[in-house]
Amino acid sequence: MYFQVTAELEEIGKTSKEEATGFGHSHGAGAGAMGGEGNPTDLSEMLAEGTKESHDRAENCQFVKDFLRGHIIKDVFKRATVALYFVYSAMEEEIEKNKDHPHIAPIYFPAELHRREALARDLEYFYGADWESQISLSAGTKPYVDRIHEVGEADPVLLVAHSYTRYMGDLSGGQILKKVAQRALKLPASGEGLNFYQFEGITSHRGFKQLYRSRMNELELDPEAKQRIVDESNRAFGFNMMVFSELEEIGNTIKEEVQEQVFGHAELIQEDDFNKCPYYAAKMAANGNPTYALQLVKTLVGRLPCQVALAAWVAIFAGFTAWYLL
């Protein structure tokens, strides 16, 4: 298998210089076979064309846009890794069951593509040795996992859609997300926490994506089956967006909790720490906050040396007032 794949990659390298980019798309992958009225008949081209709108919607989810800007909360990233673990566990379990299926065998690349073990290493990095007892399948991820098991049992050809949508995306846009996450979360340069994005069995992402597409195009499928795969790929994009929405909600909740903690800290300072730091109260009172001004007076009155100072300040203030009125 290894030598066959290597030979195919070398042949692709001789015949094409173009790079394929995007989440599961074949931009610049070369002209495919066309049917009547210029409609593509190659499965890879049909998928690229037929899922373009879903792809664009997924890229424009708020979670994805925030991620690309480097606005990443570590706890949310950890939960995203958990979601991916359950998705890939389901997908690779069903691919293994159907590895001899005529529509799965040609795109069966466990050494090159499978992500479950890599995700397990990432989860151990984030959660520790007992990570399995700390994670669970979320409500937003469960429909995705259930659908993968459903098609694996009843209609294995649709696993082509799920495999294409995830693996081709991981080899394309996923590599950008890896760099963003590493910088934003200050993860080790050695790759801990990011094993999911590292395809150690693939030397050329471009070449492998072209090989994968060529294998898909060689599958013996009638037009109806190809269209069902396109439809299922759109459905897979929808499941991914459900996961993104759930992660976005979790992120918003964490942000609100952080804000509450900040305000709570301010209240603790106001009620408990003024006696230790009257200068803070003085600063806030100078900014026009009457609560802090009152607290400052109470604090000063409570201290004997401060009582003398307060009396002096009152006398000075009274003197200035009398001088102004006269």
Side-chain angles (χ1 to χ4, degrees):
M1 179 72 173
Y2 171 79
F3 293 109
Q4 181 182 358
V5 170
T6 302
E8 288 185 63
L9 286 172
E10 288 176 352
E11 184 63 26
I12 287 171
K14 293 176 184 177
T15 58
S16 177
K17 297 291 185 181
E18 296 175 336
E19 172 69 5
T21 59
F23 182 24
H25 277 230
S26 56
H27 303 298
M34 292 290 177
E37 300 181 358
N39 294 323
T41 58
D42 278 351
L43 180 58
S44 66
E45 295 296 325
M46 289 178 66
L47 282 163
E49 184 66 27
T51 62
K52 187 177 185 303
E53 290 185 9
S54 295
H55 174 261
D56 291 342
R57 284 198 299 272
E59 279 190 337
N60 284 289
C61 284
Q62 192 60 47
F63 173 78
V64 175
K65 290 195 289 187
D66 286 345
F67 198 121
L68 290 171
R69 295 188 186 108
H71 301 164
I72 310 168
I73 299 172
K74 190 170 186 178
D75 187 58
V76 175
F77 186 79
K78 289 163 61 176
R79 290 171 187 251
T81 305
V82 172
L84 289 171
Y85 175 79
F86 283 110
V87 169
Y88 280 91
S89 294
M91 189 165 69
E92 289 164 9
E93 177 185 336
E94 296 302 331
I95 288 173
E96 282 295 324
K97 288 179 182 177
N98 292 281
K99 63 183 179 181
D100 296 323
H101 189 282
H103 296 133
I104 302 302
I107 57 169
Y108 177 66
F109 295 101
E112 291 84 0
L113 291 177
H114 283 194
R115 299 288 85 204
R116 183 179 181 275
E117 294 305 318
L119 285 160
R121 293 197 299 273
D122 289 337
L123 290 173
E124 183 174 3
Y125 171 78
F126 286 123
Y127 291 97
D130 63 339
W131 61 270
E132 289 181 278
S133 66
Q134 299 184 54
I135 67 171
S136 60
L137 179 61
S138 72
T141 309
K142 189 176 185 302
Y144 196 177
V145 169
D146 289 346
R147 178 58 180 173
I148 291 170
H149 285 307
E150 180 184 347
V151 301
E153 287 289 330
D155 202 358
V157 69
L158 296 183
L159 288 173
V160 175
H162 290 278
S163 179
Y164 165 85
T165 303
R166 283 291 351 160
Y167 290 129
M168 293 299 97
D170 300 333
L171 287 169
S172 301
Q175 299 308 299
I176 298 172
L177 299 181
K178 171 189 172 183
K179 294 177 182 178
V180 173
Q182 191 164 38
R183 287 195 300 265
L185 299 176
K186 297 180 172 58
L187 294 173
S190 51
E192 285 91 343
L194 295 168
N195 289 290
F196 166 69
Y197 299 102
Q198 298 173 22
F199 290 82
E200 297 174 353
I202 298 175
T203 56
S204 168
H205 288 191
R206 175 187 62 81
F208 188 86
K209 286 185 290 186
Q210 290 177 323
L211 167 63
Y212 195 90
R213 291 188 182 97
S214 71
R215 290 284 189 91
M216 283 200 308
N217 293 337
E218 292 168 2
L219 298 177
E220 294 185 6
L221 298 164
D222 59 33
E224 181 184 355
K226 290 180 180 179
Q227 187 56 50
R228 290 200 305 118
I229 291 172
V230 173
D231 293 342
E232 187 69 18
S233 185
N234 279 310
R235 193 167 184 175
F237 273 106
F239 286 127
N240 278 282
M241 285 186 275
M242 285 176 60
V243 175
F244 295 157
S245 295
E246 182 181 54
L247 292 170
E248 183 183 347
E249 289 177 10
I250 292 170
N252 290 336
T253 300
I254 292 173
K255 290 174 186 176
E256 290 172 3
E257 289 175 353
V258 169
Q259 289 176 345
E260 288 175 2
Q261 289 172 4
V262 170
F263 291 136
H265 179 63
E267 291 173 2
L268 286 173
I269 291 176
Q270 176 182 324
E271 296 178 3
D272 298 332
D273 293 344
F274 277 135
N275 288 333
K276 299 177 183 177
C277 187
Y279 302 103
Y280 178 79
K283 179 179 178 181
M284 297 303 292
N287 289 332
N289 190 314
T291 302
Y292 289 95
L294 178 60
Q295 187 65 41
L296 175 61
V297 172
K298 288 167 63 179
T299 301
L300 292 176
V301 169
R303 296 188 177 192
L304 183 61
C306 290
Q307 291 172 357
V308 177
L310 179 61
W313 276 106
V314 170
I316 293 171
F317 178 75
F320 275 113
T321 302
W323 172 79
Y324 177 77
L325 293 175
L326 291 174

